Amino acid sequence: MRDCYCTVNLDREEVFRTKIVEKSLCPFYGEDFYCEIPRSFRHLSFYVFDRDVFRRDSIIGKVAIQKEDLPKYHNRDTWFQLQHVDADSEVQGKVHLELRLSEVITDTGAVCHKLATRILECQGLPIVNGQCDPYATVTLAGPCRSEAKKTKVKKKTNNPQFDEVFYFEVTRPCSYSRKSHFDFEEEDVDKLEIRVDLWNASNLKFGDEFLGELRVPLNVLRQSSCYEAWYFLQPRDNGSKSLKPGDLGSLRLNVVYTEDHVFSSNYYRPLRDLLLRSADVEPVSASAAHVLGEVCREKQEAAVPLVRFFLHYGRVVPFISAIASAEVQRTQDPNTIFRGNSLTSKCIDETMKLAGMHYLHVTLKPAIEEICQGHRPCEIDPVKLKDGENLENNMENLRQYVDRIFSVITKSGVSCPTVMCDIFFSLREAAAKRFQDDLDVRYTAVSSFIFLRFFAPAILSPNLFQLTPHHTDPQTSRTLTLISKTIQTLGSLSKSKSASFKESYMAAFYEFFNEQKYADAVKNFLDLISSSGRRDPKSVEQPILLKEGFMIKRAQGRKRFGMKNFKKRWFRLTNHEFTYQRSKGDQPLCSIPIENILAVERLEEESFKMKNMFQVIQPERALYIQANNCVEAKAWIDILTKVSQSNQKRLAVYHPSAYLNGHWLCCRASSDTAPGCSPCTGGLPANIQLDIDGDRETERIYSLFHSYMSKLEKMQEACGSRSVYDGPEQEEYSTFIIDDPQETYKTLKQVIAGVGALEQEHAQYRRDKFKKTKYGSQEHPIGDKSFQSYIRQQSETSTHSI
């Protein structure tokens, strides 16, 4: 048996890690990781490790998916065979190489050809065991010769600048009376190649580590005597290893990868204006946003970009109010209100997830942590009781937990985000107006979201809402399931509570909560979060925890002769202050009020020869911090920038490097108070909860419309046939909601025109890029398979268009 965990890597940099599943050869993880990818990469890799308590954890195998293959597996469960991992297969980085062939006349007057091989630089080499001390060997190899030379070792950098030239004699001297200027022996040169191997100089007894190689045949110099290009490093040929692929087992993954090419704002104006009018279109089913929900296969697919788009432009409340009110009008029975997976319910779910995440954390996190750490037995199913467990004690434990969570939820009304309260107000009004005889419908319309779709799922699966770092253990998971069921029923205000449980033991347990005070508390809470005049008073604002975790920071050198070394600290960011302490729960060693953060910027790697560093600039000094990986670094920089965005004294310029040995490394200024030499980045919205790019969401919506173009056309046909012929509906058209065929037809026409115009812009951009891009450039080194397939596609499309 093995204790296994997996890591998710961009090339060889680990960005996420799963929990450890102990004593299993078929571990199930079920963990979701989501990130914006902050840099270019070649492989998305997954490594499976076997934990070893005494030695370094051993690698079982890996799955590496090339960037250009990701769309093939997009959103599909796929089993991948694990591959062996060794130094010869673990390759990343690129090399800039220049070859020059020249004639040299020897002392005797004879002519020979010399090859000058210049290694300029490398970029993105891997960090091995925390460092990289690279050097290169350059070999001229042929059937009968092999001549090798070596560069100097560059210490502590994975972007070494070598700029060294090596000379090789290519042909034997021949008489100078030859007619051609470069007439060397063809077969000689055709069989020769330059091989460059990159190595990491290691002090260990195992010798230097191989980082990758490239091979360039000399016939590239046939057209011209000088050749220069970037190359991706390649793995060494492993002809000797013939391992059966099934040896290591396999890994099941579901990778969702999207890549959007976003234009500047003015390109999106027609589609954007059409979408922003959606809330005011009568009927709302004829609006562009509603049409998107109708043509997408999954409502969720449409809801995510729509909600983000409307939140960005401050129109989410009118839009959701309009579609909710239309849905309520179509509902016949008050008991089924908002129970389906409609566009309305998916949009409200998404809004709560985006706007309410901090509210959820403030409300539930302390109670969930207490349950996870307490491990008190709460099993109340007599069949599942373990030996030595007492049913009465377990019921009492569970009752205390339910009481605690019920109490924190019903007292949290004043912290509920304004945007959620405004949506709940419109739901309540629409439901009360439609079902005037049912006095409870004003509550059930709201509780079906806040309890059933917000609090209950978060209690059931806290790791999906970042309330716990990983899945909970089976016992805790069972406890949370029982609590979630009870809270859901308490919040639903159904008439016959006990009857709503299938299990008799749950009905018996629920008797504890059959008192009027629980129903009153729920109603008071729902009244508070759905009243129109309620605004978030600043006086009750609790500090909201935005992010926390271990990072490494450089001592700030407050004492004149103090050590400026690097230490691991636990960092916490709230909307009031940024602090660090020795470990979680300790007293802060340093606290920086948010208003003292003047800028947050990346720190150039050269400063301390360390990757993923950033600086938090304060009035008197900068705090230098190293995050664990590129994804973490981006997440910290983004949220620190957002939370300090509206500070009065924000800087316009900063120093991208550190102040060391009496001067700034970037601009060489000697005064430590010298103004910065580079303009600050930033420019994010000041709202800490949401950092949304409106153009990017419009591009996403355009992509969806574009991929469902055939359905849009079918819907247009349906409008035409409905407005002309009002007989029995044709089966293929009845899947769409069309209340007003003429208005919907008009919208569809505008959507199709807007999508067509954007498609032309994308096609033009691709053609221009194709013309300008050079294979072998720094952006597209030789060996870049994605660019090769891109060239293939372009040449195919250009042939079609001809």
Side-chain angles (χ1 to χ4, degrees), residues 527-768:
D527 277 334
L528 180 60
I529 63 170
S530 61
S531 59
S532 65
R534 190 210 148 283
R535 280 290 171 273
D536 209 341
K538 278 277 171 272
S539 56
V540 299
E541 195 188 60
Q542 290 288 312
I544 297 173
L545 176 65
L546 301 174
K547 192 165 173 58
E548 59 181 347
F550 274 115
M551 290 191 289
I552 292 167
K553 65 113 198 157
R554 182 174 186 255
Q556 291 179 298
R558 291 193 179 125
K559 298 186 186 123
R560 183 137 188 201
F561 300 107
M563 289 278 285
K564 291 190 183 170
N565 52 356
F566 285 89
K567 292 194 171 127
K568 192 172 183 179
R569 292 288 181 253
W570 181 263
F571 284 82
R572 280 183 102 241
L573 172 66
T574 70
N575 53 340
H576 293 181
E577 59 181 358
F578 182 48
T579 59
Y580 61 79
Q581 49 234 51
R582 273 205 178 79
S583 53
K584 190 175 181 180
D586 289 358
Q587 282 302 309
L589 298 169
C590 168
S591 165
I592 304 170
I594 294 301
E595 54 272 21
N596 280 7
I597 297 177
L598 307 184
V600 184
E601 297 287 346
R602 292 189 179 282
L603 186 69
E604 283 182 358
E605 219 169 284
E606 295 308 307
S607 301
F608 300 107
K609 306 281 190 209
M610 289 162 75
K611 284 177 80 71
N612 305 319
M613 288 201 73
F614 63 94
Q615 48 183 325
V616 179
I617 303 166
Q618 310 160 64
E620 64 286 357
R621 65 174 74 79
L623 173 62
Y624 298 134
I625 303 172
Q626 184 188 33
N628 299 321
N629 56 57
C630 60
V631 170
E632 271 288 281
K634 181 183 188 302
W636 275 105
I637 293 168
D638 283 355
I639 195 146
L640 279 161
T641 304
K642 267 185 278 177
V643 78
S644 61
Q645 188 68 44
S646 46
N647 288 352
Q648 304 288 301
K649 297 178 180 167
R650 273 192 74 84
L651 295 178
V653 287
Y654 78 109
H655 291 285
S657 288
Y659 182 77
L660 293 173
N661 307 328
H663 64 261
W664 293 99
L665 297 182
C666 38
C667 58
R668 318 301 289 178
S670 55
S671 161
D672 61 347
T673 56
C677 55
S678 291
C680 283
T681 57
L684 296 162
N687 182 349
I688 53 168
Q689 293 172 335
L690 305 166
D691 169 20
I692 295 170
D693 180 337
D695 295 332
R696 178 174 163 176
E697 300 310 324
T698 317
E699 170 63 33
R700 190 99 285 279
I701 292 167
Y702 148 75
S703 301
L704 285 171
F705 273 136
H706 185 253
S707 59
Y708 289 112
M709 187 51 85
S710 60
K711 277 195 166 183
L712 285 172
E713 287 161 353
K714 201 169 231 179
M715 199 172 178
Q716 210 175 14
E717 276 175 41
C719 290
S721 74
R722 285 281 301 279
S723 52
V724 177
Y725 164 66
D726 216 9
E729 284 190 15
Q730 290 183 24
E731 192 54 44
E732 58 180 319
Y733 298 148
S734 61
T735 50
F736 304 118
I737 292 176
I738 301 172
D739 296 322
D740 182 334
Q742 280 175 318
E743 198 60 38
T744 312
Y745 188 89
K746 216 183 329 177
T747 303
L748 283 162
K749 199 173 170 183
Q750 289 171 296
V751 167
I752 291 168
V755 169
L758 273 169
E759 172 52 25
Q760 281 179 340
E761 293 293 350
H762 276 285
Q764 186 59 48
Y765 173 79
R766 284 194 295 268
R767 283 195 293 274
D768 293 348

